Amino acid sequence: MAAPVHALINARLLDPATSTDIRGGLLIEKGKILDWGSHITKDALPDGATVEDCGGNYLAPGLVDAHAYLCEPGKEHRETMATAGMAAAAGGVTTINAFPATEPVIDDPALVELVARRAKTTCAVNVCITGALTKGLLGEEMAEFGLLSEAGVVAVSDGQFAIANINLMRRALAYASMFDLPVIVHAEDPALAAGGVITGGRTATFMGLKSIPSCAEAILVERDIRLVKMTGARWHAAHLSTRDALDTMRRAKNDGLKVTAGTAPHYHALNDLELGEYRTFARVSPPLREEEERLAVIEAIKDGTIDIISSQHLPQSADSKRVPFAQAKPGVIGLETMLPVSLRLYHNGDVDLLRLLYTMTVAPAKLLGLNAGALRKGAKADIFLFDTERPWQVDGDLLKSKSKNTAFDGHLLQGRVLKTFVRGTAVFEL
Amino acid sequence: MTNTDPIRFAHRHLLDIARLSVTDINQILDLAESYAETSRSADKKQSLLHGRTQINLFYENSTRTRTSFELAGMRLGADVINMSVGSSSVKKGETLIDTAMTLNAMHPDVLVIRHPDSGAPHLLAQKVDCAVINGGDGSHEHPTQALLDALTIRRRKGRLQGLIVAICGDIQHSRVARSNIALLNIMGARVRVVGPTTLIPSHAAKMGVEVYHKMSEGLKDADIVMMLRLQTERMQGSFVPSVREYFHFFGLDKEKLSVARPDALIMHPGPMNRGVEIDSEIADDLIISAISEQVEMGVAVRMACLDLLTRGDA
């Protein structure tokens, strides 16, 4: 007997991998995409198929979030694989790239296996793992990239820490290139950033907070790109937020280097004015920038200098945010709001929908070497349904993450995820 | 043995392999071959260098190379003096040139120098009136090691030309590697270097070698596998992350060796780090491992070098 087929019909199919935007349907069999296209309508379905009408809403490949902190193991009071999985599903994210800033740090191959197993049993969406760039994220000795790679890590990174020692960075890039592992960096010169909590500029001056000059980003990008040129490594800047750094990226890409750049929704949607009244919930690292930098980020998303938008989901407990600004821990949650916030770029006419989705599907899948982010026959049915128009107001308390440190509390957003499938099974429905 | 009309050697010093010709190398190896026989006989002592003075000037700790040079000199009948850093005026701040001038005034016939800085023997050679043998300078060359390796290979394989030789490990810091690459290229072998990106010089290919970062590729069909010693201080995260990772990817074990030719010969300049760059099972296998023979050939090759470099100024 044939396995039951589930038919999603009357959808607007978006596939950024093939730049397809058509009306039609998609068939799921045994958790995989059996077929999709305009020929799949309610009048032409396999016998015995269960049918679901998508009401004309968009159906797209599940998002791949290239950068999130899941806090498990060791920081379960902030987030768990289970709560992160629910938040991801509610945001249309079907694959999360988990960063190694856990306790213990994921710098040991044995831990990779443990975390992968834990994710499989408790997280509703797929989890891939980024291993540590240096042992203990201490920036002193490179981690065992080879063994980590064999254990299954998709990249190496020290997360929120930049490598101060340029010689270490040089060797780490050379060594990582041997295993074709992308090195994901926090592009901010650590000496210039030390102790700073806000970007240098008008706001910082008036607020009397220790600031980080925006050139701290460009300086590190310049430095690393020269090392990339020498070593031939794959290098990815996790979150660029300044015009100068983006200009440098643009040049490096024109030179044909294997470099890519990411950013996060808060860098294209918010600027440093958000920090008025010392709002610690908008404190992120690198800090929110001045308006002209934000506009440069949008420009870079548009022209492809920025390849990837990721959530940079970093749960922090309320206790670590309800303190004087300089003492507050940086970071915001973002799995659930990544797409709706980024849809602003679409509504404002800055970026078309397929290009926008590309930055959250095909591009991150390519960076991490994942078979995900595309509507492909025979691939896992990791897909989601969304409405670009539906308005809603973010209420931090209603978000599914264990920690509620969103920078968008109270914001009015347009566009919402309606339903998410992982391997053909619904893991979220509005 | 009386050699009434010995053929002169074309060089005054032995500073590096790079400046030797095929003829020079064959001359040394042929002579060393005969000294290997002498060393195996009961009466090892000769009087060829009777009355000559050999000074071993070692600025780095060494047991095997110094002993080997010392034995070589003694078996040829020379008076051999060892000067090592710990007991010399070097510790009191004397410069290399001043030491050279002091020693020169004592009229030695051969100076063997080992020094942590590349090029130190060359400087010494400019300042003294006797022959200088490079016993290893920095990361530059260790010519007698390459010669003894060549002799070992020649005895086992009958030739050097056309052999595929894979030199594995820390190429970047290895004087043994540089001397071997030079010698093997001169003699027409095919040289490969295999190691992590962090331990292979970025322009290695310009030395006339094929560069590999995977043992499975670099060792394929190799006739000779030369393992290099990995210094402990390079293992802890600066050049490679850890010993276990290094051994996993670059340590020589039966499995990695299985892609080489079935009669592949394993060599190591010593001292070995068992479990780091080489598995004991391989190091101790007398059929495939030439490691003991290398040490034996070391004395013979050094006797040949001492003989050749002291000819002509009798």
Side-chain angles (χ1 to χ4, degrees):
Chain A
M1 200 184 95
V5 171
H6 187 61
L8 295 165
I9 57 159
N10 188 25
R12 189 155 163 196
L13 297 156
L14 283 175
D15 182 36
T18 53
S19 295
T20 306
D21 178 356
I22 50 168
R23 291 187 183 284
L26 182 147
L27 301 178
I28 300 171
E29 185 189 46
K30 291 183 187 163
K32 291 183 174 163
I33 297 175
L34 178 65
D35 196 6
W36 65 278
S38 55
H39 58 287
I40 294 170
T41 60
K42 75 172 179 339
D43 304 321
L45 295 175
D47 289 340
T50 50
V51 182
E52 184 172 344
D53 192 313
C54 297
N57 286 304
Y58 286 105
L59 186 63
L63 306 180
V64 177
D65 186 355
H67 196 153
Y69 298 83
L70 302 192
C71 304
E72 191 175 343
K75 297 171 181 176
E76 288 87 349
H77 61 290
R78 282 152 60 175
E79 189 82 286
T80 64
M81 297 263 191
T83 53
M86 288 191 283
V93 174
T94 55
T95 302
I96 308 174
N97 180 27
F99 266 55
T102 46
E103 277 177 26
V105 167
I106 305 175
D107 61 3
D108 188 300
L111 205 56
V112 177
E113 282 154 37
L114 180 95
V115 172
R117 208 172 332 122
R118 183 92 186 131
K120 230 168 223 149
T121 52
T122 67
C123 189
V125 304
N126 307 298
V127 172
C128 60
I129 299 165
T130 288
L133 182 66
T134 66
K135 292 171 189 167
L137 306 181
L138 297 174
E140 290 162 4
E141 301 169 357
M142 66 171 134
E144 296 167 307
F145 301 164
L147 296 174
L148 286 169
S149 172
E150 285 193 349
V153 304
V154 293
V156 286
S157 177
D158 268 6
Q160 294 198 91
F161 306 107
I163 305 295
N165 181 338
I166 185 166
N167 227 351
L168 173 66
M169 192 62 187
R170 170 201 172 170
R171 296 208 183 103
L173 286 169
Y175 198 74
S177 73
M178 196 165 43
F179 302 100
D180 202 31
L181 269 182
V183 175
I184 303 179
V185 304
H186 178 96
E188 192 176 45
D189 182 84
L192 284 172
V197 294
I198 184 171
T199 196
R202 186 182 175 281
T203 311
T205 307
F206 277 89
M207 289 174 79
L209 290 169
K210 185 163 165 53
S211 65
I212 302 168
S214 68
C215 69
E217 186 170 278
I219 287 171
L220 197 118
V221 171
E222 288 273 6
R223 179 196 85 172
D224 277 12
I225 279 173
R226 274 151 217 269
L227 296 176
V228 167
K229 217 169 188 170
M230 179 170 63
T231 57
R234 288 174 66 198
W235 180 91
H236 175 74
H239 35 55
L240 293 188
S241 57
T242 64
R243 182 179 296 278
D244 285 353
L246 290 164
D247 284 344
T248 302
M249 267 314 285
R250 216 168 263 130
R251 270 201 311 279
K253 287 184 156 191
N254 285 337
D255 289 348
L257 297 179
K258 285 185 277 183
V259 294
T260 49
T263 197
H266 37 273
Y267 298 115
H268 71 64
L270 305 175
N271 62 26
D272 64 344
L273 295 174
E274 207 64 33
L275 304 170
E277 306 301 314
Y278 299 91
R279 269 193 75 225
T280 58
F281 279 69
R283 189 182 159 202
V284 287
S285 173
L288 294 179
R289 306 293 186 183
E290 295 190 285
E291 179 63 8
E292 63 158 321
E293 311 275 27
R294 184 184 78 88
L295 297 176
V297 168
I298 294 174
E299 201 54 46
I301 295 171
K302 228 192 283 191
D303 73 11
T305 303
I306 286 177
D307 303 84
I308 293 172
I309 296 175
S310 64
S311 72
Q312 318 273 332
H313 180 84
L314 175 52
Q316 296 287 10
S317 65
D319 294 344
S320 64
K321 285 288 190 184
R322 298 216 170 90
V323 290
F325 193 89
Q327 293 174 33
K329 287 197 175 152
V332 293
I333 55 168
L335 282 166
E336 206 170 334
T337 51
M338 173 167 76
L339 177 71
V341 169
S342 295
L343 279 172
R344 281 184 184 175
L345 298 171
Y346 160 68
H347 291 302
N348 292 344
D350 289 322
V351 183
D352 74 57
L353 197 52
L354 276 169
R355 162 88 197 120
L356 189 63
L357 279 178
Y358 191 94
T359 66
M360 290 178 262
T361 52
V362 182
K366 209 163 123 190
L367 172 73
L368 305 169
L370 305 173
N371 182 15
L375 295 182
R376 211 176 283 127
K377 281 189 209 176
K380 288 184 292 182
D382 294 344
I383 50 176
F384 79 113
L385 204 59
F386 70 105
D387 175 355
T388 51
E389 308 305 314
R390 188 177 301 201
W392 62 295
Q393 185 172 28
V394 179
D395 178 347
D397 289 337
L398 297 181
L399 293 177
K400 297 190 170 12
S401 282
K402 197 163 184 177
S403 295
K404 310 297 183 190
N405 54 309
T406 174
F408 296 98
D409 194 27
H411 282 236
L412 293 166
L413 301 179
Q414 190 179 353
R416 200 152 196 200
V417 174
L418 306 173
K419 192 167 183 177
T420 304
F421 296 85
V422 171
R423 269 163 264 128
T425 304
V427 291
F428 167 78
E429 187 162 12
L430 189 68
Chain B
M1 193 178 96
T2 50
N3 203 339
T4 49
D5 185 21
I7 301 163
R8 287 226 187 171
F9 189 55
H11 303 269
R12 178 166 166 70
H13 307 289
L14 179 63
L15 298 177
D16 38 43
I17 295 291
R19 66 186 77 187
L20 301 184
S21 66
V22 175
T23 314
D24 297 333
I25 291 167
N26 279 329
Q27 193 184 1
I28 298 171
L29 298 185
D30 292 344
L31 185 59
E33 193 88 56
S34 71
Y35 282 124
E37 294 311 308
T38 315
S39 288
R40 283 187 179 180
S41 64
D43 181 13
K44 300 177 180 64
K45 187 97 171 179
Q46 300 205 7
S47 55
L48 191 70
L49 297 192
H50 180 79
R52 306 296 183 94
T53 305
Q54 171 192 341
I55 299 178
N56 298 332
L57 180 58
F58 275 61
Y59 285 83
E60 272 184 356
N61 287 331
S62 162
T63 309
R64 60 182 65 211
T65 304
R66 205 208 64 211
T67 310
S68 184
F69 270 111
E70 195 175 345
L71 264 180
M74 287 161 80
R75 283 185 185 167
L76 290 174
D79 296 319
V80 185
I81 308 288
N82 286 316
M83 269 188 69
S84 53
V85 180
S87 57
S88 75
S89 48
V90 175
K91 264 219 161 147
K92 298 167 194 159
E94 190 174 68
T95 66
L96 178 63
I97 288 176
D98 286 343
T99 304
M101 298 317 287
T102 305
L103 294 177
N104 195 46
M106 299 177 193
H107 301 292
D109 299 282
V110 184
L111 261 171
V112 179
I113 178 174
R114 166 167 287 193
H115 200 280
D117 289 325
S118 302
H122 304 67
L123 179 63
L124 194 72
Q126 290 166 16
K127 299 290 168 188
V128 297
D129 302 318
C130 66
V132 173
I133 297 179
N134 180 358
D137 63 324
S139 301
H140 175 230
E141 279 224 33
H142 190 356
T144 55
Q145 178 71 43
L147 288 163
L148 73 88
D149 287 341
L151 182 58
T152 309
I153 296 171
R154 213 176 71 164
R155 283 165 65 98
R156 287 282 193 112
K157 298 287 178 195
R159 67 195 163 106
L160 291 166
Q161 191 169 15
L163 295 178
I164 298 179
V165 183
I167 306 177
C168 310
D170 184 358
I171 309 296
Q172 172 98 38
H173 304 97
S174 175
R175 52 196 175 209
V176 174
R178 279 179 185 74
S179 282
N180 266 308
I181 289 167
L183 188 145
L184 292 163
N185 274 331
I186 291 167
M187 300 306 281
R190 255 180 78 187
V191 188
R192 298 173 179 171
V193 297
V194 192
T197 44
T198 43
L199 293 175
I200 291 190
S202 47
H203 297 88
K206 299 222 165 85
M207 294 194 290
V209 299
E210 298 162 45
V211 178
Y212 293 89
H213 301 300
K214 285 200 175 101
M215 293 286 269
S216 58
E217 293 167 6
L219 262 51
K220 192 156 181 0
D221 301 324
D223 296 285
I224 309 289
V225 180
M226 275 187 192
M227 300 307 297
L228 298 173
R229 175 181 168 76
L230 183 63
Q231 307 280 340
T232 333
E233 61 270 23
R234 313 219 203 276
M235 288 184 250
Q236 303 303 331
S238 51
F239 289 87
V240 291
S242 66
V243 170
R244 70 174 178 179
E245 171 143 332
Y246 188 80
F247 188 77
H248 182 77
F249 291 101
F250 296 102
L252 187 66
D253 55 21
K254 279 258 152 96
E255 197 198 322
K256 295 197 191 79
L257 186 60
S258 65
V259 298
R261 284 181 53 97
D263 61 347
L265 194 62
I266 313 304
M267 304 177 74
H268 193 300
M272 285 182 281
N273 292 307
R274 290 168 187 266
V276 177
E277 71 257 351
I278 193 162
D279 194 73
S280 286
E281 197 187 1
I282 284 179
D284 299 335
D285 186 330
L286 290 176
I287 295 171
I288 59 170
S289 163
I291 297 170
S292 298
E293 194 173 341
Q294 286 175 273
V295 178
E296 184 187 352
M297 292 309 120
V299 179
V301 153
R302 285 164 186 133
M303 286 170 82
C305 293
L306 290 168
D307 175 350
L308 289 170
L309 291 171
T310 51
R311 286 180 185 180
D313 48 58

